[in-house]
Amino acid sequence: MSEVTVAATTKADPQEIRDWLVHRVAYFLECPVSQIDATAHLVEIGLDSVYALTLCGDVEDRFGLLVEPTMAWDHPTVDAITVYLAGELERL
């Protein structure tokens, strides 16, 4: 599965962030990107706590942001994480 690349920039496009997140979640769940509902709670589509923590690390590596390990619970959908990350990147 190919990975969408988003430059670690303060002006990352929300759609690019969302696409990257969808690809990461699909990778973790070993399913096609088309099966990821960006509005569904991550836990409901099968993302467990190990992958939620891994996603935090991936976000930190990709965007250069330090995020709380509870990010996936505080922002429980791909769309919610996208809004959160876009806002954090705007503050940089």
Side-chain angles (χ1 to χ4, degrees), residues 10 13 19-20 22 25 28 31 42 45-47 49 52 56-57 61 65 67-68 70 76 79 91:
T10 59
D13 177 56
D19 291 345
W20 180 83
V22 166
V25 171
F28 294 145
C31 70
L42 295 171
I45 61 174
L47 196 73
S49 59
C56 291
D61 291 345
L65 292 174
V67 296
E68 294 295 325
T70 59
D79 284 348
R91 292 183 231 258

Side-chain angles (χ1 to χ4, degrees), residues 1 18-19 21-47 78:
M1 184 176 304
R18 184 179 186 271
D19 291 345
L21 287 167
V22 166
H23 278 78
R24 292 308 299 153
V25 171
Y27 173 78
F28 294 145
L29 298 178
E30 298 179 358
C31 70
V33 170
S34 61
Q35 290 184 357
I36 302 302
D37 178 356
T39 65
H41 281 236
L42 295 171
V43 70
E44 292 174 2
I45 61 174
L47 196 73
V78 166

Side-chain angles (χ1 to χ4, degrees), residues 28 51-61 65 67-73:
F28 294 145
Y51 285 128
L53 287 173
T54 303
L55 182 61
C56 291
D58 291 350
V59 164
E60 290 176 353
D61 291 345
L65 292 174
V67 296
E68 294 295 325
T70 59
M71 178 187 70
W73 285 271

